[in-house]
Amino acid sequence: MNLGDLVDLEWRILRDEERSREGERDEIVARDRRIGHEILAAENLDPARARLAIEEDPELRRRVALAWLDRVRAPDERTPGRRLWAGYRLAGWILAVLFLFFGAGAARAVLSYEGENPVNVFYFIAALILTQVALLTLMILFLTLHGLFRGGDFLGGMQSLIVRIGRMRFVDRFVGGSAADAARAVGAFRARHSLYGDVERWTLFQLTQRCGVFFNVAALATALWLVVFSDLAFGWSTTLDVEADQVHSVVAALAAPWEWAAPSAVPDADLVRATRWVRGPVEGHYVGARPGVEIPAATWWRFLVLGLFTWGFLPRFTAFLVGRWRARRALRRVHLDHVGFQRLFERLAPPAAAWIAPAPESVGFSPPPEAGTSAAAGAVATAGAGRCRVLLWGALAGRAEGVEDRIEARFGWPADASHAVGGADLAGDDRALAAIEAAKARRVVLVVEAGNQPTREVVSLLADVRRRTPERTPIVVALLGAEPDEVDQWRHRLDQEADPWLRVEGLPSS
Amino acid sequence: MAPGGGTPVVMKEEVPVFVVVGNVNQGKSSVVATLTEDESVPISPWPGTTVRTGDYAFRTGERILFRLIDTPGFQQARRVLAILAERSKSAADRRAAVERFVAENRESGAFPDEVRLLEPIVGGAGILYVVDASSRFQPSNEAEMEILRWTGRPAMALLNRTRDRDYAEEWRPVLEQFFNVVREFDAHRAGYRDRRDLLRSFREVRDDWRPILDEAIAALEREWESRRHRAAHAIAELMVRALSHVERKRVTVESDPVDLKKKVEESFRESLRKFESAGRAEVERLYRHRRTKREEEEIRLHDADLFSEESWRLFGLTRGQLVQYGVVWGTLIGSAIDLMVGGLSFFAGAAIGAVAGGLGGFLTGTKVSRTWSERSRLARVLFPGETGRYLGAGPVTNPAFAWMLLDRALVHYAAVRDRSHARQDPLRLAPGDGGGKAGVVADLPADLRGRIDGLFRKILKGALKGRVSPDLTDRLATEVEAALTRAGASRAGP
């Protein structure tokens, strides 16, 4: 799965939700039921247990989601995700070519030698080595203190640029599609920023580091080309009051990483002293050179090339590899369990229709030995995982007969226990929350009768439930006997809480 | 001491104020919009639309008679009641506990909705508690009513409905424990009578408010009559304009007669549409439905029997007018000849001149217009008017068409008059009944129909002659007002 696939998944889910609201729900459900059958057969999953298995296994969720996407997305369909991915790759290549030119141009500029004044190694060191050291330091500082580790939107501008590139006409020739769809898909994706932030950030991080890699590759290649195919002379020159020994200390510090392996690439103090260049009224000369003694230029160019390699190329390449690894890891860790995916998996693997029967012994019936399974074997879910805690809001607690059955039929979750909340006694809410926390409830269903409103009290209770349950616990607000527009009203209000695992569904009253 | 001695009379300056409260999305703002006839009250299906209080005043002239305050709904009633219960030891300090709660939380922002709705109540306002009878009674509702009871303010309850579910029988015994007055009031269906009756109920909430509320109700009834009177005039004007309208299009050598006729009729229909639209807008403005969108079937012309003639105008004059001018000029010229012969012709010159001038105006005008006016600048300067041949449509000649127009106007009037200002759907009018006297007008008494019919015929006759007497509009307005009084709510539509 790549970033484009993730965007397409979000986009498809968003579109299906819109189409459902516009009256195409039956068609979508039928389509996904059919696809679900195919996928479950391919995965060799028991339909009765598929739903639970999908909820519990992230890797299975990923395979099912991608299999669904493959079936709803035509091979040649120009989807927003594909456009985005194409835009990203195209942007990557464009930037790579640009930075190749920049690198070559920079190296060419700082190694320019016409035969009069030698190449001033200070230029090279300042422009291509020290600058990159400074950038590297800043990047590490930034990563450590803020930015990528804690989130933040500093790469949002880069992402917008990629979307714009993806909308360009010549990209359409590769993948194409509607610009409006692309914008909406990216919008849907960014709405899940809290879930996909890592994927976005590390994907863009590796793109930017690749630019640095290409820059340094071009600079190195250009430097080597000039060394091999032209005759360069090197020196150092400055107006500042700097002694050769001071310059030698800086040079030695920069050369520290490779000194042990390539001592011939480290200019010694004599060379530094000998290669100070001063301009004269007619022509310049080396200040410290001894008459008749040749100055070895090779040491300087080896130092410069190794310096660029060590302080320029290597860190960028390492950062690029780290970014790539982190992006892939973030993709692998995407849970695909927010509300949109919950609804999708419900359609792909709905609760199996079955009679929910009491255990035979509870009605005084002893089955013959050969009966094997109990009457409850047809039940949708096994004990333990897959169960839920039910909260009954307000006066519903006093007339909740059959509600738990309806929850199980609708969601496939048998109820462990039900608790009354929203009643006259505020302490009842606290007791219910404590019970949920103690039970480490994996799923919570708040049942509210039609006509009730999503007041601050209700929203506050849901926030308390969220705080007291494990992360990513699905919380469903089930509106009993509500009309479709009432469900919409609740969704409209609760969407403002931006909780990816909180959803609102209707529950039939009979 | 009052003038003339006796018991001093204390003038009550206090204006009745009612605060509309309840849980969110119960229809409070719809009740306010309906009572105040204000479509601009923010109403939406999303709960929590009202976030601040809205103050609506009923006034006559410069004097405010009573006020209505719309509030955000209760959202944390149970918690608020729990806090109040902690602070109050007995019934004696409950009101003070509420006042302290409001004062403490005004700045803190902890219970913004409850503070906003309780503030005017602790300031002395009466309570209008609105519940949605299509939802079941909940413990949070009981907490709301208990809080309101603690304020000790006069209160009444309204059973509104936002959906087809009905739990009114579950609510009544509960509401009657907390409120002396409990009324049903469907904000989306309430008409004038329902609004007036509700205002009358307000009088029961507090005795010393009765005089001023009676004054308000009387003012409301006067305003209602005034609107009806002005609406009748608007409808009468619409009728006269529509029935006397004539549409003309010029006939040229290249004109296709069939196509031209269609164009003329379409122009006529468009003009009628504009007259109706203007009339409708005026009635809607009178009843404060300025934002309402209207859906009405197109007017049908096939019953109009539009008088259609191919006419022509010369120098801006009709043939009849040319004949008149011919007669006048002929008489003058003939008279001049009589004078020249010293009266021996015994005015035969004047008589012959009149006849010759009239015949000349009738017979020769067309040729003159073609040969002279179209080419001659002098003629255009001397006689700056339209010339040439025209195809005309109108005026209407069939009285049944007039009845159809009136029927549409009465249907519209009844729908607008009884439409709640809380509604946001378009105003859909019942399809036109076509010609004849079917529809609302069929329910009018025979004598009234007779008088209106007579006026229609006079208007149509005058229109044919090119002149409708101005007093017909006023007379028609009087009869239409009688018809409006009788137009029942049952024919008003949804």
Side-chain angles (χ1 to χ4, degrees), chain B residues 35 183-186 189-199:
Chain B
L35 282 176
R183 282 198 65 96
E184 300 221 11
F185 185 81
D186 186 338
R189 292 198 172 93
Y192 164 71
R193 284 193 194 86
D194 301 302
R195 295 200 289 269
R196 187 195 56 196
D197 292 346
L198 182 61
L199 285 180

Side-chain angles (χ1 to χ4, degrees), chain A residues 395 423 429 456 483 485-486, chain B residues 75 78 113 138 163 165:
Chain A
D429 293 7
R456 286 185 215 268
E483 292 168 19
D485 63 305
E486 292 179 280
Chain B
Q75 297 227 33
R78 296 183 308 140
D113 309 292
Q138 297 291 334
R163 292 175 189 278
R165 299 187 297 251

Side-chain angles (χ1 to χ4, degrees), chain B residues 48-118:
Chain B
T49 301
T50 310
V51 293
R52 282 176 287 279
T53 56
D55 198 325
Y56 301 86
F58 182 83
R59 66 176 71 211
T60 55
E62 290 302 312
R63 197 158 152 249
I64 292 176
L65 295 182
F66 73 91
R67 287 163 50 212
L68 208 58
I69 298 179
D70 190 13
T71 64
F74 276 104
Q75 297 227 33
Q76 303 178 84
R78 296 183 308 140
R79 289 210 180 131
V80 170
L81 185 62
I83 291 171
L84 292 175
E86 279 170 16
R87 297 173 181 193
S88 165
K89 302 284 183 291
S90 72
D93 56 12
R94 283 179 180 170
R95 185 185 290 193
V98 176
E99 288 168 2
R100 265 200 315 276
F101 170 84
V102 169
E104 283 166 9
N105 289 283
R106 194 178 281 129
E107 301 303 326
S108 72
F111 297 95
D113 309 292
E114 283 73 20
V115 166
R116 286 195 189 108
L117 66 90
L118 286 172

Side-chain angles (χ1 to χ4, degrees), chain A residues 393-395 399 422-424 426 429 449-457 460 481 483 485-486 488-489 492, chain B residues 23-26 45-47 74-79 82 112-113 134-140 163 165 170:
Chain A
W393 180 266
R399 42 178 182 250
L426 281 180
D429 293 7
E449 273 182 305
N452 278 278
Q453 302 299 321
T455 59
R456 286 185 215 268
E457 275 184 341
S460 174
E483 292 168 19
D485 63 305
E486 292 179 280
D488 282 343
Q489 284 169 18
H492 178 82
Chain B
N23 199 279
V24 290
N25 226 19
Q26 302 298 288
W46 311 125
F74 276 104
Q75 297 227 33
Q76 303 178 84
R78 296 183 308 140
R79 289 210 180 131
D113 309 292
S134 58
S135 307
R136 303 193 76 157
F137 170 74
Q138 297 291 334
S140 53
R163 292 175 189 278
R165 299 187 297 251
E170 190 177 291

Side-chain angles (χ1 to χ4, degrees), chain A residues 164-476:
Chain A
R164 281 198 195 100
I165 291 174
R167 285 185 200 163
M168 287 179 184
R169 284 197 185 154
F170 64 88
V171 175
D172 281 348
R173 288 196 204 114
F174 298 124
V175 180
S178 143
D181 270 348
R184 281 173 60 239
V186 170
F189 189 76
R190 287 194 63 73
R192 308 280 186 204
H193 184 68
S194 61
L195 303 176
Y196 301 138
D198 273 357
V199 175
E200 288 180 282
R201 284 188 286 273
W202 288 112
T203 303
L204 291 169
F205 178 78
Q206 61 160 324
L207 178 72
T208 55
Q209 298 312 304
R210 190 161 69 161
C211 297
V213 168
F214 277 100
F215 176 90
N216 283 285
V217 163
L220 278 169
T222 305
L224 285 170
W225 173 277
L226 289 171
V227 163
V228 169
F229 296 105
S230 68
D231 180 20
L232 298 175
F234 296 92
W236 60 277
S237 181
T238 179
T239 312
L240 299 176
D241 187 16
V242 172
E243 296 298 325
D245 291 336
Q246 289 170 309
V247 174
H248 178 251
S249 338
V250 171
V251 165
L254 288 173
W258 68 81
E259 188 182 9
W260 58 276
S264 64
V266 185
D268 59 20
D270 287 338
L271 178 65
V272 173
R273 205 173 297 117
T275 51
R276 181 169 192 168
W277 180 264
V278 173
R279 291 191 200 181
V282 179
E283 60 176 14
H285 63 280
Y286 285 114
V287 172
R290 292 187 200 140
V293 175
E294 195 179 321
I295 296 170
T299 310
W300 271 120
W301 75 256
R302 287 195 196 106
F303 166 77
L304 295 177
V305 167
L306 273 177
L308 182 58
F309 180 82
T310 306
W311 296 106
F313 174 79
L314 270 185
R316 289 298 160 190
F317 187 65
T318 307
F320 165 71
L321 291 177
V322 167
R324 199 170 145 103
W325 169 69
R326 289 295 297 260
R328 286 183 177 177
R329 191 175 80 153
L331 270 173
R332 276 198 306 277
R333 286 181 168 190
V334 163
H335 288 268
L336 305 184
D337 63 353
H338 64 66
V339 165
F341 282 104
Q342 289 175 27
R343 290 196 183 111
L344 170 64
F345 294 135
E346 260 182 23
R347 294 196 299 270
L348 292 175
W355 286 99
I356 311 297
E361 53 273 18
S362 70
V363 292
F365 170 66
S366 299
E370 61 273 21
T373 55
S374 74
V380 171
T382 55
R387 303 186 72 83
C388 68
R389 285 271 162 156
V390 176
L391 300 175
L392 301 167
W393 180 266
L396 179 60
R399 42 178 182 250
E401 201 175 308
V403 167
E404 290 181 3
D405 292 340
R406 273 173 243 154
I407 290 172
E408 186 169 359
R410 172 70 178 80
F411 302 107
W413 301 336
D416 267 337
S418 294
H419 309 276
V421 291
D425 177 16
L426 281 180
D429 293 7
D430 295 332
R431 285 194 295 272
L433 290 167
I436 284 177
E437 187 173 18
K440 293 188 176 45
R442 302 286 300 281
R443 293 161 196 84
V444 177
V445 180
L446 171 66
V447 187
V448 179
E449 273 182 305
N452 278 278
Q453 302 299 321
T455 59
R456 286 185 215 268
E457 275 184 341
V458 175
V459 174
S460 174
L461 178 82
L462 290 168
D464 285 337
V465 171
R466 172 60 67 211
R467 272 193 293 276
R468 301 227 200 173
T469 48
E471 197 192 359
R472 318 181 89 88
T473 297
I475 301 174
V476 178

Side-chain angles (χ1 to χ4, degrees), chain B residues 16-278:
Chain B
V17 180
F18 288 91
V19 185
V20 184
V21 298
N23 199 279
V24 290
N25 226 19
Q26 302 298 288
K28 299 185 295 303
S29 297
S30 297
V31 167
V32 171
T34 299
L35 282 176
T36 60
E37 295 187 298
D38 190 343
E39 291 176 314
S40 68
V41 175
I43 294 170
S44 90
W46 311 125
T49 301
T50 310
V51 293
R52 282 176 287 279
T53 56
D55 198 325
Y56 301 86
F58 182 83
R59 66 176 71 211
T60 55
E62 290 302 312
R63 197 158 152 249
I64 292 176
L65 295 182
F66 73 91
R67 287 163 50 212
L68 208 58
I69 298 179
D70 190 13
T71 64
F74 276 104
Q75 297 227 33
Q76 303 178 84
R78 296 183 308 140
R79 289 210 180 131
V80 170
L81 185 62
I83 291 171
L84 292 175
E86 279 170 16
R87 297 173 181 193
S88 165
K89 302 284 183 291
S90 72
D93 56 12
R94 283 179 180 170
R95 185 185 290 193
V98 176
E99 288 168 2
R100 265 200 315 276
F101 170 84
V102 169
E104 283 166 9
N105 289 283
R106 194 178 281 129
E107 301 303 326
S108 72
F111 297 95
D113 309 292
E114 283 73 20
V115 166
R116 286 195 189 108
L117 66 90
L118 286 172
E119 209 154 17
I121 296 175
V122 301
I127 297 169
L128 195 57
Y129 180 65
V130 179
V131 300
D132 181 3
S134 58
S135 307
R136 303 193 76 157
F137 170 74
Q138 297 291 334
S140 53
N141 299 123
E142 186 168 347
E144 292 161 9
M145 290 187 278
E146 190 63 22
I147 293 169
L148 295 174
R149 198 159 68 94
W150 280 33
T151 63
R153 304 305 306 167
M156 67 180 285
L158 285 190
L159 279 161
N160 187 27
R161 274 176 192 76
T162 61
R163 292 175 189 278
D164 292 335
R165 299 187 297 251
D166 188 1
Y167 297 104
E169 293 315 305
E170 190 177 291
W171 276 99
R172 274 193 183 281
V174 175
L175 292 172
E176 283 162 4
Q177 294 175 49
F178 289 87
F179 304 96
N180 285 337
V181 181
V182 178
R183 282 198 65 96
E184 300 221 11
F185 185 81
D186 186 338
H188 279 77
R189 292 198 172 93
Y192 164 71
R193 284 193 194 86
D194 301 302
R195 295 200 289 269
R196 187 195 56 196
D197 292 346
L198 182 61
L199 285 180
R200 284 187 179 147
S201 302
F202 284 3
R203 299 159 71 240
E204 311 303 321
V205 171
R206 193 167 138 174
D207 276 349
D208 54 346
W209 283 348
R210 279 192 190 205
I212 200 164
L213 285 171
D214 282 341
E215 191 181 338
I217 292 168
L220 203 66
E221 285 169 346
R222 283 195 301 276
E223 164 67 13
W224 203 253
E225 283 173 20
S226 165
R227 286 183 193 176
R228 189 176 59 225
H229 179 74
R230 285 179 284 163
H233 267 273
I235 292 171
E237 279 169 15
L238 146 70
M239 298 290 305
V240 170
R241 287 177 79 189
L243 294 178
S244 60
H245 182 63
V246 176
E247 194 79 27
R248 283 193 184 84
K249 285 223 181 295
R250 189 168 173 173
V251 179
T252 62
V253 176
E254 297 85 20
S255 299
D256 172 18
V258 173
D259 185 53
L260 191 64
K261 191 172 178 197
K262 276 187 194 161
K263 282 184 181 168
V264 170
E265 284 183 357
E266 184 49 44
S267 289
F268 189 89
R269 183 184 288 109
E270 184 57 31
S271 296
L272 280 195
R273 205 180 288 134
K274 284 182 184 161
F275 297 149
E276 269 201 325
S277 183

Side-chain angles (χ1 to χ4, degrees), chain A residues 21-310:
Chain A
R21 281 197 288 274
E22 288 163 10
E24 295 181 44
R25 188 171 188 280
D26 290 345
E27 191 184 310
I28 291 167
V29 168
R31 178 201 72 191
D32 287 345
R33 292 268 162 91
R34 178 180 45 77
I35 292 175
H37 282 309
E38 291 170 12
I39 294 174
L40 296 187
E43 290 281 341
N44 207 22
L45 276 174
D46 176 4
R49 300 182 196 289
R51 180 70 196 292
L52 188 59
I54 290 172
E55 279 186 24
E56 299 292 314
D57 184 353
E59 190 48 45
L60 176 62
R61 270 206 298 281
R62 192 192 327 284
R63 290 202 305 273
V64 169
L66 285 175
W68 173 78
L69 185 65
D70 281 342
R71 282 162 174 78
V72 297
R73 184 176 66 172
D76 56 350
E77 187 184 351
R78 296 168 180 178
T79 58
R82 283 179 172 154
R83 282 171 58 85
L84 182 76
W85 193 238
Y88 167 77
R89 284 183 301 169
L90 188 64
W93 285 115
I94 291 172
L95 289 169
V97 168
L98 273 175
F99 275 83
L100 276 175
F101 277 111
F102 290 157
R108 184 71 186 85
V110 298
L111 290 173
S112 170
Y113 175 57
E114 299 305 323
E116 290 181 12
N117 299 308
V119 172
N120 188 349
V121 300
F122 271 15
Y123 281 157
F124 193 101
I125 294 172
L128 294 183
I129 297 179
L130 290 181
T131 306
Q132 295 209 63
V133 169
L135 287 174
L136 182 65
T137 309
L138 277 174
M139 183 182 77
I140 293 171
L141 202 65
F142 190 73
L143 288 176
T144 309
L145 295 177
H146 298 288
L148 295 180
F149 292 150
R150 285 193 202 164
D153 229 6
F154 78 103
L155 291 175
M158 180 71 83
Q159 191 177 36
S160 303
L161 174 65
I162 288 169
V163 171
R164 281 198 195 100
I165 291 174
R167 285 185 200 163
M168 287 179 184
R169 284 197 185 154
F170 64 88
V171 175
D172 281 348
R173 288 196 204 114
F174 298 124
V175 180
S178 143
D181 270 348
R184 281 173 60 239
V186 170
F189 189 76
R190 287 194 63 73
R192 308 280 186 204
H193 184 68
S194 61
L195 303 176
Y196 301 138
D198 273 357
V199 175
E200 288 180 282
R201 284 188 286 273
W202 288 112
T203 303
L204 291 169
F205 178 78
Q206 61 160 324
L207 178 72
T208 55
Q209 298 312 304
R210 190 161 69 161
C211 297
V213 168
F214 277 100
F215 176 90
N216 283 285
V217 163
L220 278 169
T222 305
L224 285 170
W225 173 277
L226 289 171
V227 163
V228 169
F229 296 105
S230 68
D231 180 20
L232 298 175
F234 296 92
W236 60 277
S237 181
T238 179
T239 312
L240 299 176
D241 187 16
V242 172
E243 296 298 325
D245 291 336
Q246 289 170 309
V247 174
H248 178 251
S249 338
V250 171
V251 165
L254 288 173
W258 68 81
E259 188 182 9
W260 58 276
S264 64
V266 185
D268 59 20
D270 287 338
L271 178 65
V272 173
R273 205 173 297 117
T275 51
R276 181 169 192 168
W277 180 264
V278 173
R279 291 191 200 181
V282 179
E283 60 176 14
H285 63 280
Y286 285 114
V287 172
R290 292 187 200 140
V293 175
E294 195 179 321
I295 296 170
T299 310
W300 271 120
W301 75 256
R302 287 195 196 106
F303 166 77
L304 295 177
V305 167
L306 273 177
L308 182 58
F309 180 82
T310 306

